[in-house]
Amino acid sequence: MELKDDKKVFGGRQLRYEHASQVLNCTMQFSVFLPPQAEQGKVPAVYWLSGLTCTDENFSSKAGAQRAAAELGLALIIPDTSPRGDDVPDDPEGAYDFGKGAGFYVNATQEPWRRHYQMYDYIVKELPELVEAHLPLSEDRAISGHSMGGHGALVIGLRNSERYASISAFSPIVHPTQVPWGKKALSGYLGSDEQQWRSYDATYLLEELAGQAIPPILVDQGDADQFLKEQLCTEFFREANKASGAGAQIRMQPGYDHSYYFIATFIEDHLRFHASNLR
């Protein structure tokens, strides 16, 4: 881990690191907020997964999460959204919803993507092992995200319930097997067998986990979100939640859209939700 930036904020430190990823076969950057409590000992961490076109810096600079995280004693771990570098393949047409900036938090099985696009393993295994070995972090984790990152947080949290105390999401793509963004990404990274897609679909996962213990879940969705009807389809997840008895909190927020203004408004709620479960 090579430290690239270090800023003091709310008594804590906003850091940016670079490292050579063995899982993604490229150099990656990620951001970390360490609260003041980290100077005294290990602290729990909330992993934040960002959405399409974002890097690790969008959340750290726009969400205003550091104040509440500093109060609550939470570290924030903020990875990039895809592998990066000249050797990493990208969408040949330069589309924003596939390739660089759009890793969709899956393990690609198709060429030319599978050598680099292993974002699921990077988030679940490599990055936590790295930061917990080098920073004052406990093994207590929660996971959250926005849009494509909300999809990633729900899928990773549901598939690894023993690793995360709680899960939350803003405007998540909850049923990617049924919407344009998801169909494009899953077919490109995983191939044409739609049965392989289901393990990366939060709605199907919630249905399959009916009756099993899962972490507490909080989802916020704005009803003025321009992507709600075509890409996000929150009602699918609401129906699966009801059928499975999972008990997820799914809140429709009047007047809010898909932007970071929405995230900034409710991020404190989400961090307090995670803090209560991490404790």
Side-chain angles (χ1 to χ4, degrees):
M1 285 171 48
E2 180 182 354
L3 182 62
K4 307 297 288 187
D5 195 24
D6 186 347
K7 298 287 193 302
K8 188 168 184 178
V9 55
F10 293 107
R13 298 167 65 201
Q14 184 64 50
L15 310 167
R16 198 177 195 216
Y17 288 98
E18 186 175 274
H19 77 110
S21 169
Q22 296 181 1
V23 169
L24 304 179
N25 292 294
C26 65
T27 298
M28 292 294 287
Q29 292 187 325
F30 63 93
S31 294
V32 175
F33 173 72
L34 289 179
Q37 295 87 337
E39 296 181 4
Q40 311 302 322
K42 293 184 177 183
V43 296
V46 176
Y47 285 74
W48 172 269
L49 308 185
S50 297
L52 290 167
T53 76
C54 290
T55 71
D56 59 294
E57 293 188 294
N58 291 78
F59 179 76
S60 63
S61 63
K62 293 182 178 180
Q66 292 91 342
R67 180 187 61 78
E71 175 193 337
L72 297 166
L74 297 175
L76 304 174
I77 312 299
I78 313 162
D80 202 346
T81 52
S82 78
R84 304 280 181 174
D86 294 339
D87 295 334
V88 175
D90 198 4
D91 187 280
E93 298 178 358
Y96 74 93
D97 56 355
F98 191 75
K100 291 180 184 178
F104 261 83
Y105 305 102
V106 304
N107 284 339
T109 59
Q110 304 300 299
E111 297 293 352
W113 315 104
R114 65 179 184 174
R115 171 170 166 75
H116 296 287
Y117 285 77
Q118 303 291 313
M119 287 297 295
Y120 179 91
D121 280 352
Y122 179 70
I123 299 300
V124 174
K125 299 177 182 178
E126 186 179 34
L127 184 60
E129 289 174 1
L130 181 71
V131 295
E132 289 171 11
H134 291 89
L135 297 173
L137 303 176
S138 70
E139 294 183 356
D140 299 311
R141 314 174 194 93
I143 192 164
S144 184
H146 171 234
S147 193
M148 177 186 74
H151 141 76
L154 289 169
V155 166
I156 288 171
L158 289 170
R159 286 178 58 174
N160 301 274
S161 60
E162 75 286 353
R163 292 181 62 86
Y164 301 99
S166 48
I167 307 165
S168 76
F170 291 83
S171 314
I173 306 170
V174 296
H175 210 7
T177 61
Q178 305 301 316
V179 301
W181 276 343
K183 288 180 179 180
K184 179 177 180 178
L186 297 176
S187 62
Y189 294 133
L190 304 178
S192 59
D193 183 359
E194 296 187 16
Q195 284 298 115
Q196 301 299 315
W197 302 1
R198 292 175 66 99
S199 62
Y200 294 105
D201 187 304
T203 296
Y204 286 138
L205 289 171
L206 201 62
E207 291 173 349
E208 292 166 4
L209 291 169
Q212 300 182 42
I214 63 170
I217 299 172
L218 171 63
V219 173
D220 271 324
Q221 172 64 57
D223 70 1
D225 191 319
Q226 65 269 41
F227 302 114
L228 176 57
K229 291 183 179 180
E230 183 180 12
Q231 304 283 11
L232 307 179
C233 304
T234 310
E235 282 307 309
F236 287 118
F237 195 72
R238 189 187 299 277
E239 291 169 7
N241 181 52
K242 183 177 180 181
S244 67
Q249 299 179 59
I250 304 170
R251 310 190 304 191
M252 191 64 69
Q253 301 292 1
Y256 286 93
D257 64 7
H258 200 72
S259 71
Y260 263 85
Y261 295 110
F262 173 45
I263 297 170
T265 302
F266 296 102
I267 191 61
E268 182 173 342
D269 281 4
H270 284 239
L271 293 179
R272 292 191 181 282
F273 166 77
H274 291 303
S276 67
N277 289 292
L278 286 161
R279 287 174 181 159

